Amino acid sequence: MSRVLVFGAKSLVGSHFVQTSGHRIHAAGLRDPRGFGVRVEGFVEVDMNSPREAASAVSGADVDAVVNFGAATDVDRVERERPSSPEEAKGTAYKVNVLAPAAMSKAALARGLPFVLLSTDFVFDGEQGPYAESTPPSKWSPLVSWYGWTKGRGEELAIAANPSASIVRISYPYRTDYPRKLDFGRKILAARRQHDRIAYFDDQWITPTWIPDVTRALDAILENHKSGVFHVASPERTTPFEFARELVTQVEGTDPGLSPGSMEEFLRRPGATPRPRHGGLSCRRIEGEGVRLTPWREGVRLLAEDYAAA
Ligand SMILES: NC(=O)c1ccc[n+]([C@@H]2O[C@H](COP(=O)([O-])OP(=O)(O)OC[C@H]3O[C@@H](n4cnc5c(N)ncnc54)[C@H](OP(=O)(O)O)[C@@H]3O)[C@@H](O)[C@H]2O)c1
């Protein structure tokens, strides 16, 4: 067990690490996670809009490692900040997703602390997934959302500032319990409860991430002092349609007869935020560290069992 400074401690993904990893957690962020039922040992208020504040939290913390889950994550809202070229980049997502992680990473290097940055398969344009860890983030393109571009640039600057930093990319994360934000799986179940007739894409390829796998991966990376890029996701690909059908069938006991939708058509609509179509992550490196990844059908079964028990 070690002391870890965590940015984004009450986030959907980060709160699982904070609550279950067994590390002594010091949180940094806008709000004290203890006010939201997330137990941590200490808290420092930091606005990641200020890279200097983010860096000084790292410089001043009495910890053994730093993990950043903090990010501007609302993909559609972030898209509204998209500039006409990357040279004109500014705004909240640029500061929070690019400049702050770069500053944290540099500050961590100066203190000899391991630094891990959470990222996403949205850094890729979705032309050729599933992507290997060695694939660099895609260049600026209409196929890459502004969220995806900022996360990719954040990765690049974090590594440039600190070659021993690690990046952990995940994809459509889901878990069984988290009251503050619906994840990929529970969004489907919530839509079902509200009788929303959503058409799920059957022409998009994804590798959904079972969130407990992220916690185990982070533990392995920290314990084994690993650097570089790791992918944590289902070893098998699926489509949102297949995932939703399996989940609803498990929960309701019969095939729900969901309607498939087309991502290709969706992306042709004016104003649609781009997302990777042939996305997904191939995860050899983390499996090489002995971390077993949960295939999506098994994750769906675990989610459905928990839902039935609730
Ligand atoms: N959710 C997904 O679908 C998904 C997919 C792939 C990758 N990821 C990556 O996984 C990580 C966690 O995502 P998530 O969905 O779990 O996050 P989330 O639930 O949306 O939470 C975002 C976190 O970022 C913090 N944050 C945002 N703006 C901040 C600011 N200006 N200053 C300080 N903290 C700020 C928030 O802090 P407070 O708690 O203090 O408000 C919050 O804890 C992110 O790096 C994300 O890019 C997520």
Side-chain angles (χ1 to χ4, degrees):
M1 194 215 281
S2 54
R3 295 159 303 167
V4 184
L5 178 66
V6 171
F7 290 82
K10 71 174 179 51
S11 62
L12 168 70
V13 184
S15 58
H16 188 276
F17 175 78
V18 167
Q19 287 167 318
T20 67
S21 69
H23 295 294
R24 294 170 56 195
I25 304 292
H26 292 255
L30 294 174
R31 284 166 288 261
D32 189 334
R34 290 172 288 202
F36 298 84
V38 178
R39 210 145 30 90
V40 294
E41 281 199 2
F43 170 71
V44 55
E45 189 178 328
V46 175
D47 184 350
M48 288 171 60
N49 273 292
S50 162
R52 205 157 43 151
E53 255 183 51
S56 64
V58 173
S59 306
D62 183 17
V63 293
D64 308 303
V66 181
V67 181
N68 177 36
F69 298 90
T73 55
D74 184 331
V75 179
D76 292 317
R77 187 184 301 167
V78 166
E79 193 65 13
R80 298 204 283 271
E81 294 181 8
R82 188 188 192 94
S84 44
S85 76
E87 289 71 36
E88 293 163 64
K90 58 179 184 185
T92 295
Y94 184 63
K95 286 187 242 171
V96 172
N97 294 353
V98 180
L99 301 181
M104 290 172 195
S105 187
K106 187 174 173 193
L109 177 70
R111 293 199 45 209
L113 298 175
F115 175 71
V116 187
L117 172 63
L118 270 287
S119 193
T120 167
D121 66 338
F122 278 32
V123 302
F124 300 121
D125 60 17
E127 295 271 69
Q128 286 183 332
Y131 293 90
E133 293 88 345
S134 54
T135 316
S138 298
K139 301 283 174 231
W140 168 266
S141 139
L143 297 176
V144 180
S145 63
W146 183 236
Y147 165 75
W149 190 88
T150 58
K151 292 292 295 182
R153 190 70 185 134
E155 289 183 8
E156 288 168 347
L157 293 192
I159 296 275
N162 173 1
S164 59
S166 325
I167 307 294
V168 174
R169 295 187 187 128
I170 61 174
S171 163
Y172 290 88
Y174 64 110
R175 60 186 285 188
T176 60
D177 56 328
Y178 180 76
R180 285 175 295 283
K181 176 170 156 185
L182 288 176
D183 56 57
F184 180 55
R186 288 175 305 120
K187 229 180 242 176
I188 293 165
L189 298 175
R192 234 11 228 174
R193 275 197 309 276
Q194 287 156 14
H195 306 290
D196 287 349
R197 300 182 71 79
I198 294 176
Y200 295 96
F201 301 142
D202 66 353
D203 58 353
Q204 180 194 14
W205 282 269
I206 60 175
T207 50
T209 298
W210 178 239
I211 288 175
D213 292 353
V214 182
T215 296
R216 288 186 295 105
L218 288 170
D219 278 342
I221 290 166
L222 292 173
E223 266 164 37
N224 302 337
H225 305 287
K226 291 293 167 182
S227 305
V229 179
F230 290 88
H231 288 172
V232 178
S234 166
E236 290 151 15
R237 283 211 294 179
T238 183
T239 66
F241 176 72
E242 194 180 21
F243 185 97
R245 186 177 58 190
E246 180 75 18
L247 177 58
V248 178
T249 303
Q250 294 241 2
V251 167
E252 297 180 5
T254 54
D255 186 327
L258 300 177
S259 327
S262 165
M263 186 180 206
E264 199 177 2
E265 274 173 31
F266 166 82
L267 290 177
R268 274 199 231 111
R269 287 190 206 157
T273 306
R275 286 163 166 76
R277 195 169 151 228
H278 295 267
L281 299 169
S282 127
C283 307
R284 295 252 166 81
R285 274 199 81 201
I286 200 68
E287 288 177 322
E289 293 302 316
V291 175
R292 180 188 174 267
L293 298 172
T294 306
W296 69 268
R297 280 182 204 281
E298 184 182 329
V300 159
R301 184 174 50 71
L302 294 168
L303 178 51
E305 280 170 9
D306 189 75
Y307 191 79

